[in-house]
Amino acid sequence: MKGYFGIGIEGPSKAVNVGTLFRTAHAFGASFVFTVRAQYNPRQGSASDTSDTPRSVPTYHFADLEAFRLPLGCRLVGIEITDDAIDLPSFRHPRQAAYIVGSEREGLSADLQSRCDYVVKIPTRFSVNLGVAGALVMYDRLLTLGRHAPRPVAEGAPTEAVPLPVFGDPIYQRRQRARQKALSRQ
């Protein structure tokens, strides 16, 4: 999969939920994880983060929105149930993205939502746990940006292999052919 992604949480109240989100991000290959306005206790979070993500993946803790920073070119995607949010199945993920979920009770703050390039929602009847929401978004990213064999028309496993990537001729061969063409015209 080309590009990178990170995922974080704003203002969590339960370290176990942060640990779950971080462990799932680690499993999906996140390039970084982060918190904003959080008092994250890694000892409490390790009850659910059995992969010890902060020892394997860059982890950032931002005290507030003023301190919050992302890499250049990275698009911020909020995950929140709002009327104007984009339904996740209709969303095209940016190659360079940071996803953020809100706290368990309050969701994403209005200030953070205003900083988001996009806000997406998972089309469910009601709110799901923030770890589940993060997992669904990361899985959707994997499905849409990853390379997989096409789904079969009937139920079951794919019948076709993953198509091989197609690349152009190496530059040095193109130059050589261009020279030969120029010489043949003379």
Side-chain angles (χ1 to χ4, degrees):
M1 184 178 350
K2 291 184 179 181
Y4 65 84
F5 79 94
I7 192 163
I9 181 169
E10 178 194 25
S13 62
K14 299 176 184 171
V16 172
N17 284 340
V18 178
T20 300
L21 182 69
F22 283 7
R23 181 178 188 273
T24 305
H26 189 188
F28 275 108
S31 299
F32 60 94
V33 293
F34 62 95
T35 62
V36 177
R37 295 188 314 105
Q39 298 296 322
Y40 177 59
N41 182 334
R43 279 182 72 129
Q44 292 174 338
S46 68
S48 57
D49 183 8
T50 55
S51 70
D52 197 10
T53 300
R55 290 182 56 134
S56 302
V57 176
T59 304
Y60 304 98
H61 300 288
F62 301 102
D64 51 36
L65 285 178
E66 288 71 38
F68 182 51
R69 299 285 183 270
L70 290 174
L72 289 175
C74 186
R75 308 292 282 228
L76 184 60
V77 181
I79 305 166
E80 186 61 68
I81 300 171
T82 65
D83 291 337
D84 56 343
I86 304 164
D87 281 330
L88 183 59
S90 302
F91 180 65
R92 183 164 307 275
H93 295 267
R95 274 197 180 174
Q96 300 167 321
Y99 302 94
I100 188 160
V101 295
S103 67
E104 296 86 344
R105 291 187 180 101
E106 299 169 14
L108 284 179
S109 69
D111 287 342
L112 190 62
Q113 285 185 49
S114 69
R115 290 182 177 217
C116 290
D117 295 293
Y118 306 101
V119 176
V120 298
K121 64 182 171 185
I122 300 163
T124 56
R125 291 185 191 174
F126 48 84
S127 175
V128 295
N129 174 279
L130 66 89
V132 171
L136 289 169
V137 169
M138 289 183 278
Y139 183 68
D140 187 72
R141 179 183 176 86
L142 175 76
L143 285 179
T144 59
L145 295 180
R147 294 192 67 243
H148 307 281
R151 289 185 191 249
V153 175
E155 63 187 44
T159 56
E160 302 171 37
V162 176
L164 294 173
V166 179
F167 301 101
D169 291 335
I171 293 172
Y172 68 88
Q173 286 184 354
R174 280 190 240 153
R175 287 182 185 157
Q176 186 178 5
R177 279 194 287 260
R179 282 189 212 120
Q180 287 175 347
K181 217 181 230 185
L183 288 174
S184 66
R185 289 182 190 157
Q186 293 178 352

